[in-house]
Amino acid sequence: KAGVTQTPRYLIKTRGQQVTLSCSPISGHRSVSWYQQTPGQGLQFLFEYFSETQRNKGNFPGRFSGRQFSNSRSEMNVSTLELGDSALYLCASSLDRPMETQYFGPGTRLLVL
Amino acid sequence: KQEVTQIPAALSVPEGENLVLNCSFTDSAIYNLQWFRQDPGKGLTSLLLIQSSQREQTSGRLNASLDKSSGRSTLYIAASQPGDSATYLCAVSTGNQFYFGTGTSLTVIP
């Protein structure tokens, strides 16, 4: 069974631009969660999607948004990029609920210049 | 707000040694606790998940314990190997999201 995949793996953007990251969960998994990982703040929860609906949300500004499609694939969008958005963005999938065993993708490393 | 702390931040041990990693959390109202390992530049790999009603879980050379009332969990690694070198993270779930610890960077010296 294929694991969680994320595209692209690396991305360089400039301040003020926007970016879209993609995550394909393990087949059959319906919950997709997104996390931001930085050296200073560690791993922080962004949001979780289930059946095309945002079910849970962390404490991030509205510039961070996401969506989920009917095939459970998810995208995350960051608008008006800031230098502090440079991070490793990880998505994780689980069968139904985020508190179950989560399987993580390799991440997308975003650098904002 | 749930806060998760891991001590030590870094640990270096000779191959073959048994070791313990610590995780503490401030709110005992958790759904479960999960231990992960992260290799440099990569995503997380789930190692063990302990439900709030359980006291411990074992997988191979790994044993994780949970004391919910005191807000503590430990990950015991037996007979450490160089391949165990990685960052180990614990995460507690409130049912809606995971709160991650800061991680322990482990180096096993051959």
Side-chain angles (χ1 to χ4, degrees), chain A residues 9-10 35 37 43-45 48 56-58 88 90 97-107 109, chain B residues 1 31-32 34 36 38 41-46 49 51 89 93-102:
Chain A
R9 293 293 312 280
Y10 304 93
Y35 297 86
Q37 186 176 33
L43 258 163
Q44 296 184 89
F45 171 76
E48 183 241 349
N56 296 296
K57 188 177 187 302
L88 180 66
L90 294 162
R97 296 173 297 175
M99 70 285 289
E100 297 171 341
T101 299
Q102 294 202 317
Y103 298 86
F104 281 77
R109 187 164 295 281
Chain B
K1 180 193 169 191
Y31 191 88
N32 61 37
Q34 196 164 350
F36 296 87
Q38 185 175 29
K42 298 191 176 179
L44 279 65
T45 301
S46 176
L49 182 146
Q51 300 294 347
L89 296 133
S93 170
T94 60
N96 292 325
Q97 63 171 289
F98 277 107
Y99 292 88
F100 280 84
T102 46

Side-chain angles (χ1 to χ4, degrees), chain B residues 25-68:
Chain B
F25 45 95
T26 54
D27 186 348
S28 62
I30 66 170
Y31 191 88
N32 61 37
L33 183 146
Q34 196 164 350
W35 282 93
F36 296 87
R37 69 173 278 168
Q38 185 175 29
D39 293 283
K42 298 191 176 179
L44 279 65
T45 301
S46 176
L47 298 173
L48 290 163
L49 182 146
I50 312 176
Q51 300 294 347
S52 63
S53 57
Q54 297 176 315
R55 294 300 300 260
E56 65 178 306
Q57 279 284 345
T58 298
S59 176
R61 294 182 295 108
L62 305 179
N63 176 277
S65 68
L66 174 63
D67 184 343
K68 210 172 64 163

Side-chain angles (χ1 to χ4, degrees), chain A residues 27-87:
Chain A
S27 177
H29 285 193
R30 296 191 296 167
S31 170
V32 175
S33 298
W34 287 90
Y35 297 86
Q36 180 196 66
Q37 186 176 33
T38 60
Q41 299 296 320
L43 258 163
Q44 296 184 89
F45 171 76
L46 281 155
F47 32 64
E48 183 241 349
Y49 283 86
F50 179 83
S51 291
E52 302 179 62
T53 301
Q54 187 181 87
R55 188 163 60 174
N56 296 296
K57 188 177 187 302
N59 190 28
F60 276 79
R63 299 186 297 107
F64 292 82
S65 62
R67 58 177 176 168
Q68 187 180 34
F69 301 95
S70 58
N71 61 359
S72 292
R73 189 178 70 86
S74 177
E75 287 183 346
M76 191 193 97
N77 184 274
V78 188
S79 63
T80 318
L81 284 166
E82 300 176 0
L83 295 179
D85 296 333
S86 295

